[in-house]
Amino acid sequence: MSTEIDLSMHQLVYAPHPMLETPAVSVEPDNPEYRQAVSAHLQKLCRDHKGLGLAANQINLDAAVFVAHVQGDMVTMFNPQVHEASDDKVLMSEGCLSEPGMYLKVKRPDMIKASWEDETGKRSQATLFGMDCRVFLHEFDHLQGVMFTDRVGNTKLKMARKKQAGLLNRAAQRIMDSMS
């Protein structure tokens, strides 16, 4: 008889949160039911929040796993690894579900060779380019306890935080206005 794994208490957390700064632990392949439950929960939350990816530590779950849109599909990646990265770097705007309203231009490699395990523990590998590469690296950073805000200088971060505060204040004001 199998018991259902309830992950409903694991919801999106926002910076600053200690789990976002904590490197994730490896997930052993000996519990496919757990892996399947984590995969389904991460995929649902990522869709619900309209994200391109979501890492387990973003939902206060200490596990080396994320979901990412890759080549048009949402893929769950357990124990991901980067084996090679191009020297060519591209500067592009990024956002993060754990930093609502924050957008920063981050420089990242334009190509990586990566591998990961699926829900059954089967290892896959791929060469990722462009946006697929960027999303993978953004989520991979989360599993290392690194936020995209750590990838920019202090001046850019301060300016972005000021803009983020303005956006959040305006959104709060609209909500308050709609309630009156």
Side-chain angles (χ1 to χ4, degrees), residues 67-87:
V67 294
H69 284 277
V70 175
Q71 298 170 347
D73 294 320
M74 189 170 315
V75 180
T76 303
M77 301 178 180
F78 288 87
N79 305 320
Q81 296 178 329
V82 175
H83 303 285
E84 188 179 320
S86 69
D87 291 332

Side-chain angles (χ1 to χ4, degrees), residues 92-95 102-106 148-149 152 156-157 160:
M92 197 169 155
S93 185
E94 291 186 19
M102 171 78 69
Y103 299 95
L104 296 166
K105 288 190 177 182
V106 178
F148 79 131
T149 54
V152 300
K156 283 185 181 180
L157 184 57

Side-chain angles (χ1 to χ4, degrees), residues 141-158:
D141 273 356
H142 276 299
L143 300 184
Q144 314 311 307
V146 175
M147 294 285 290
F148 79 131
T149 54
D150 298 328
R151 298 245 176 235
V152 300
N154 283 336
T155 303
K156 283 185 181 180
L157 184 57
K158 283 179 186 176

Side-chain angles (χ1 to χ4, degrees), residues 84-112:
E84 188 179 320
S86 69
D87 291 332
D88 295 331
K89 307 259 195 279
V90 176
L91 186 66
M92 197 169 155
S93 185
E94 291 186 19
C96 181
L97 295 175
S98 292
E99 283 275 8
M102 171 78 69
Y103 299 95
L104 296 166
K105 288 190 177 182
V106 178
K107 191 178 280 194
R108 294 193 186 270
D110 195 39
M111 183 280 300
I112 58 169

Side-chain angles (χ1 to χ4, degrees), residues 6-7 19 53 57 61 69 79 99 102 120 128-129 136-137 141 149 165:
D6 183 13
L7 296 168
M19 185 59 83
N57 50 350
L61 183 63
H69 284 277
N79 305 320
E99 283 275 8
M102 171 78 69
T120 68
L128 303 175
F129 299 91
F136 183 101
L137 289 172
D141 273 356
T149 54

Side-chain angles (χ1 to χ4, degrees), residues 7-167:
L7 296 168
S8 61
M9 68 180 184
H10 291 282
Q11 298 297 316
L12 194 60
V13 298
Y14 301 97
H17 189 285
M19 185 59 83
L20 296 173
E21 299 172 0
T22 305
V25 297
S26 181
V27 182
E28 296 303 317
D30 59 354
N31 190 341
E33 293 84 13
Y34 173 75
R35 282 180 169 227
Q36 187 59 48
V38 168
S39 175
H41 190 62
L42 279 171
Q43 288 195 21
K44 178 187 181 318
L45 288 175
C46 189
R47 278 191 304 275
D48 289 352
H49 290 280
K50 297 174 178 35
L52 294 177
L54 183 65
N57 50 350
Q58 286 182 273
I59 63 166
N60 204 22
L61 183 63
D62 190 8
V65 55
F66 62 76
V67 294
H69 284 277
V70 175
Q71 298 170 347
D73 294 320
M74 189 170 315
V75 180
T76 303
M77 301 178 180
F78 288 87
N79 305 320
Q81 296 178 329
V82 175
H83 303 285
E84 188 179 320
S86 69
D87 291 332
D88 295 331
K89 307 259 195 279
V90 176
L91 186 66
M92 197 169 155
S93 185
E94 291 186 19
C96 181
L97 295 175
S98 292
E99 283 275 8
M102 171 78 69
Y103 299 95
L104 296 166
K105 288 190 177 182
V106 178
K107 191 178 280 194
R108 294 193 186 270
D110 195 39
M111 183 280 300
I112 58 169
K113 290 185 180 179
S115 66
W116 60 88
E117 298 166 6
D118 68 10
E119 293 87 345
T120 68
K122 180 179 175 238
R123 197 125 193 108
S124 295
Q125 57 186 351
T127 301
L128 303 175
F129 299 91
M131 187 58 96
D132 293 339
C133 175
R134 181 166 295 274
V135 173
F136 183 101
L137 289 172
H138 179 105
E139 300 310 326
F140 185 78
D141 273 356
H142 276 299
L143 300 184
Q144 314 311 307
V146 175
M147 294 285 290
F148 79 131
T149 54
D150 298 328
R151 298 245 176 235
V152 300
N154 283 336
T155 303
K156 283 185 181 180
L157 184 57
K158 283 179 186 176
M159 288 174 22
R161 288 238 184 265
K162 190 173 182 178
K163 188 173 183 180
Q164 177 190 36
L167 287 171

